[in-house]
């Protein structure tokens, strides 16, 4: 088979997926060390635009933990964590909002527009209505969990062929103060509101692994019952537990499929969606 024939075969393989998902919404969360590699981020933004070009409505929620840590270090603030959540004081939340909403979101929008797309940054404070968290009864400051989502700006963007880029910050219901929200949980909460065809987590791990130290133990597909069993037996542990449980909530609320994929691989998003084999982990009802 020639190179040209191979390329044509790839397009034909993708055809049924293109037909199936045209007009659907994909909610994609990007985070982890992927956000630190300019080349990977740029390529990923191009893949996002490919989705939009073939009639899919991508909605992007981004993290930025390492950038926040760097900004705090420059300001002389020591990071502190409680049960996986960053303790966020009054000074810290200013840095968090500046980093996420005023630096990272515009940067991603600039990349998308630079690749010939149309994108807009939507502050998470316009989307996520939140209340403060107190994990284990501990006060961790300006950290929130989502109570509800306001989706009008997002739906206007997607209906206008514009890619919305959303930061993981919420607006405290009682006071209007900005709250730092875990990006995985923010994405899952938004999925419950939008009920997308797919909720896709892009991070720096291959997917869900039976052995976290062995990439060959990738769990390709599982259902919610199996996911619960893996949580109970410790296969899914640590920071993966809230990510998976929130994804299961999104499935129960109407999201049709959840994917966990390794953003360090070039074009992993397209490989997961438009090939029969896939490349990460999927959870389906």
């Amino acid at each position: 088979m020639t190179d040209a024939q191979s390329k044509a075969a790839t397009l034909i393989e993708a055809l049924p997926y293109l037909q199936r998902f045209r007009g659907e919404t994909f909610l994609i969360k990007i985070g982890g060390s992927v956000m630190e590699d300019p080349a990977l981020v740029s390529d990923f933004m191009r893949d996002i635009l490919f989705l939009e070009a073939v009639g899919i409505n991508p909605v992007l929620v981004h993290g930025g933990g390492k950038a926040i840590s760097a900004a705090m270090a420059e300001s002389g603030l020591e990071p502190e964590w409680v049960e996986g959540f960053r303790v966020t004081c009054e000074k810290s939340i200013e840095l968090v909002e500046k980093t996420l909403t005023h630096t990272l979101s515009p940067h991603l929008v600039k990349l998308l527009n630079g690749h010939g797309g149309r994108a807009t940054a939507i502050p998470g404070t316009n989307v996520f209505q939140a209340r403060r968290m107190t994990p284990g009864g501990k006060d961790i400051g300006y950290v929130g969990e989502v109570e509800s989502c306001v989706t009008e700006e997002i739906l206007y963007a997607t209906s206008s062929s514009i890619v919305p880029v959303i930061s993981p910050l919420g607006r405290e219901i009682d006071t209007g103060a900005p709250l730092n929200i875990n990006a995985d949980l923010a994405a899952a909460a938004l999925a419950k509101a939008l009920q997308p065809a797919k909720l896709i987590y892009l991070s720096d791990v291959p997917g869900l692994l039976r052995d976290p130290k062995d990439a060959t133990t990738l769990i390709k597909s599982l259902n919610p019952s199996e996911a619960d069993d893996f949580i109970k037996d410790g296969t899914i542990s640590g920071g993966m537990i809230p990510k998976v449980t929130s994804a299961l909530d999104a499935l129960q609320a109407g999201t049709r499929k959840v994917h966990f994929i390794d953003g360090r691989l070039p074009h992993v998003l397209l490989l997961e969606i438009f090939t029969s084999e896939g490349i990460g982990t999927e959870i389906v009802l």
Side-chain angles (χ1 to χ4, degrees), residues 27 29 182-193 195-202 208 222-225 227-228 231 236 239-261 281-285:
L27 177 52
K29 184 266 175 175
N182 176 283
D184 293 330
L185 304 186
L190 185 55
K192 291 172 70 174
Q195 299 183 0
K198 293 181 181 292
L199 169 59
I200 303 167
Y201 292 94
L202 192 92
L208 301 180
L222 69 163
N223 60 40
S225 177
D228 286 337
I231 291 173
I236 297 173
M240 289 302 294
I241 292 177
K243 180 181 290 192
V244 171
T245 54
S246 62
L248 295 177
D249 287 343
L251 279 173
Q252 294 295 338
T255 298
R256 297 209 290 277
K257 188 177 287 190
V258 176
H259 300 256
F260 296 93
I261 57 177
T281 297
E282 64 175 21
I283 307 180
V284 294
L285 288 174

Side-chain angles (χ1 to χ4, degrees), residues 2-206:
T2 66
D3 285 346
Q5 289 172 323
S6 177
K7 291 176 182 177
T10 299
L11 292 173
I12 293 300
E13 181 184 3
L15 178 59
Y17 303 101
L18 295 171
Q19 292 171 319
R20 183 187 310 168
F21 296 123
R22 185 170 182 81
E24 298 281 8
T25 296
F26 287 4
L27 177 52
I28 303 160
K29 184 266 175 175
I30 178 173
S33 62
V34 179
M35 292 284 291
E36 308 303 310
D37 187 322
L40 280 177
V41 173
S42 181
D43 284 347
F44 180 68
M45 294 303 111
R46 187 179 286 112
D47 292 348
I48 291 284
L49 291 180
F50 180 91
L51 298 182
E52 197 279 323
V54 299
I56 294 167
N57 301 316
V59 175
L60 185 62
V61 175
H62 67 84
K66 292 188 178 181
I68 292 170
S69 294
M72 289 179 65
E74 289 179 6
S75 297
L77 298 172
E78 288 289 333
E80 183 182 352
W81 302 84
V82 172
E83 297 187 17
F85 295 97
R86 185 191 300 271
V87 177
T88 307
C89 66
E90 188 170 1
K91 184 175 181 180
S92 297
I93 192 62
E94 294 178 5
L95 290 174
V96 169
E97 186 167 25
K98 179 181 178 181
T99 301
L100 294 174
T101 298
H102 302 296
T103 301
L104 292 179
S105 286
H107 173 65
L108 296 178
V109 167
K110 184 178 179 180
L111 287 174
L112 287 163
N113 292 341
H115 288 315
R118 299 172 66 209
T120 185
I122 300 177
T125 47
N126 289 7
V127 176
F128 303 111
Q129 303 296 302
R131 297 193 185 277
R132 296 199 192 200
M133 296 181 66
T134 54
K138 297 178 181 177
D139 181 5
I140 56 174
Y142 292 81
V143 180
E145 55 187 342
V146 179
E147 287 279 323
S148 62
C149 298
V150 180
T151 60
E152 282 80 4
E153 281 187 83
I154 297 169
L155 296 174
Y156 176 80
T158 56
S159 67
S160 305
S161 299
I162 298 170
V163 179
V165 177
I166 304 156
S167 55
L169 283 161
R171 181 75 64 193
E172 188 170 23
I173 292 171
D174 296 330
T175 69
L179 297 178
N180 188 12
I181 298 175
N182 176 283
D184 293 330
L185 304 186
L190 185 55
K192 291 172 70 174
L194 293 178
Q195 299 183 0
K198 293 181 181 292
L199 169 59
I200 303 167
Y201 292 94
L202 192 92
S203 61
D204 47 12
V205 294

